[in-house]
Amino acid sequence: MSITVDPSRLSLTREESTYLAICTTQGGRTVYTTRIPLSELPVILPIPDPSKPDPDNRKVDPLHAKKFGEYLAANPGWVAPALLIRDTGGCRFEQISPDGTIGYLTVPWAIGGIGRLITIDGQHRVLGVYLEKKQITDEVARVDREMVRAGEAKKLKLDDERQALLVRLDRLKREFVGVDIYVESDGIRGQQMFVDVADNAKGISGAVRARFDTSRIANRTLTDIVAHPLFAGKIDIERDRMTLTNRNLMGAKHVADMTRAVIAGPGGRSGKKMESMTDSEVIESVRSFLDVISTAFISLAEITEEDVDNYHPSLAEKRSNEPPAAPTKAMQLRGSSLLGSVGMLRVLGGVYRNLREDGVEDGDVLEFFKRLDRHMTAPITDQSIWRTTAATDDFERSASAPIMRQQNIVHLTKVITEWYKRAPDAL
């Protein structure tokens, strides 16, 4: 009897993978550009160990990596930049185009391969994909174990669960990510590459994130909320810090924070309850709050009526030797009122939410806030309502804003909410 063996069916021993790549030059180094399946990232690249940082890279944050895996799982429209990798000499490139720019790139595996690749930028993505892949395979193994002793009804449910897991696993094989591999065998120059990448990367501010990150409802509704007369033309869309010379009332990030306070309380996060609300519901609630405070507080009413078209150009970009322009109402507010503090506006947003949930009408909230108006002068004195009541825990002496720690913002919100029913003598 004779048998025929098809060698192409045998995997044999493999310690490398081959991809189609483009060969170019950058900074005097050869660079291979390719795209690989997500599932193969942990195969060709070392899996970062949070307890043992790579000497050529920074310590990896396991929570950040886990969140990237969750982001992949939850977002069919995910996006991520190319990973930057260093080849220490283990890659082989076989050109197939006449000009030598296109060819087959063979890269060593992270374990077993000789001259393994080193991650310059992308550690968290590698670990995130590994954790997602491991979770899926562990869950499939669990389902298979339960299937053995399950009844018919339970088996059908488990089978559906298994199929859903296999779809997730298959997606990691079908979806690709870009990889740029720089040929650099010198370890010192390789470490410098990491520093150069970190130095030249411009971080994204909270204000910019709030404008463009539409995955959260507080950000998604931003455009409609900043159109309110109190905010129109007075929100900084780039910066997070409100210095004394910033002509705006607050930054886009602060608007999103205030939105969360109105919807979920000052200590609330974008949880399932908040994210289940429609955009129009959130917009209506926040704009109602803005209507109330821009009527109740005289200084906010003045900002609402201010014509931003009359702002002096130097307030946006001051030139050298240019005399200072007259400050805006928002700039004056930061130096004279607690209302110039983003923290106090978050507190008032939380108070508004609490009172509305207790059934208090907007008109009654407005009248309550009017009684608070004369107590908003800053800096506060030791005889003020903020230092002679339970609110004293949330203010330092001569402060122009409440203490911005989360527990203080939450506590102050509770104190002011209770004043609606049991007001101190000063109110």
Side-chain angles (χ1 to χ4, degrees), residues 8-302:
S8 66
R9 299 291 300 275
L10 306 178
S11 63
L12 302 178
T13 302
R14 292 186 60 200
E15 294 176 340
E16 57 188 22
S17 295
T18 302
Y19 308 99
L20 190 64
I22 298 174
C23 179
T24 56
T25 302
Q26 184 184 103
R29 298 183 179 90
T30 297
V31 182
Y32 303 122
T33 299
T34 186
R35 295 188 69 81
I36 70 169
L38 286 169
S39 61
E40 294 189 22
L41 277 183
V43 176
I44 68 169
L45 296 172
I47 300 168
D49 185 344
S51 65
K52 298 177 182 178
D54 189 318
D56 294 314
N57 213 318
R58 71 180 72 185
K59 183 178 180 180
V60 70
D61 179 353
L63 180 60
H64 183 53
K66 184 173 183 289
K67 285 184 176 179
F68 178 73
E70 293 172 347
Y71 164 72
L72 279 178
N75 289 273
W78 70 279
V79 62
L83 285 78
L84 303 185
I85 310 300
R86 180 162 74 93
D87 168 28
T88 59
C91 291
R92 302 191 308 276
F93 183 75
E94 178 187 345
Q95 68 180 62
I96 58 175
S97 65
D99 61 0
T101 60
I102 301 175
Y104 298 115
L105 178 68
T106 300
V107 301
W109 284 0
I111 298 178
I114 303 302
R116 73 174 189 171
L117 303 176
I118 295 174
T119 306
I120 299 173
D121 181 54
Q123 280 196 119
H124 292 92
R125 279 164 277 168
V126 175
L127 182 56
V129 170
Y130 167 76
L131 294 173
E132 171 67 6
K133 187 176 178 181
K134 185 177 185 301
Q135 181 186 18
I136 294 172
T137 53
D138 288 349
E139 286 294 299
V140 171
R142 174 191 61 79
V143 169
D144 288 345
R145 287 194 303 270
E146 293 184 11
M147 193 88 75
V148 174
R149 54 181 180 274
E152 289 303 316
K154 183 69 179 295
K155 278 185 178 180
L156 291 174
K157 183 178 179 181
L158 288 171
D159 186 61
D160 289 341
E161 186 178 348
R162 191 178 195 277
Q163 292 305 314
L165 289 167
L166 293 180
V167 168
R168 283 173 58 187
L169 189 61
D170 183 63
R171 180 165 167 256
L172 295 181
K173 298 175 183 177
R174 290 185 294 102
E175 302 229 356
F176 288 63
V177 67
V179 177
D180 289 337
I181 302 175
Y182 292 74
V183 179
E184 179 56 76
S185 57
D186 187 299
I188 301 300
R189 293 186 65 191
Q191 290 181 332
Q192 184 61 45
M193 291 173 68
F194 169 75
V195 174
D196 290 347
V197 169
D199 282 348
N200 288 299
K202 178 176 174 60
I204 182 172
S205 69
V208 174
R209 181 182 297 279
R211 287 166 56 206
F212 296 129
D213 180 9
T214 58
S215 64
R216 301 297 185 187
I217 197 167
N219 299 337
R220 200 164 59 242
T221 55
L222 191 66
T223 301
D224 292 281
I225 290 172
V226 298
H228 187 278
L230 176 61
F231 287 164
K234 311 176 190 85
I235 300 300
D236 194 321
I237 62 174
E238 294 291 338
R239 288 164 292 190
D240 296 335
R241 293 184 66 249
M242 289 295 103
T243 63
L244 290 176
T245 58
N246 193 315
R247 73 178 191 178
N248 297 289
L249 180 60
M250 64 176 71
K253 173 185 179 296
H254 305 134
V255 177
D257 290 341
M258 191 203 66
T259 296
R260 279 187 285 271
V262 173
I263 303 304
R269 299 193 177 186
S270 300
K272 290 183 178 179
K273 181 179 179 180
M274 180 175 175
E275 295 300 326
S276 66
M277 297 178 66
T278 65
D279 290 8
S280 59
E281 288 174 332
V282 171
I283 293 167
E284 182 180 356
S285 294
V286 176
R287 289 180 67 91
S288 294
F289 165 69
L290 296 177
D291 288 342
V292 167
I293 63 172
S294 60
T295 302
F297 299 104
I298 295 174
S299 56
L300 294 183
E302 292 175 347

Side-chain angles (χ1 to χ4, degrees), residues 381-401:
T381 67
D382 286 342
Q383 292 73 43
S384 73
I385 195 173
W386 311 112
R387 296 285 291 174
T388 57
T389 64
T392 189
D393 292 339
D394 307 310
F395 286 89
E396 296 178 347
R397 296 188 67 179
S398 302
S400 294

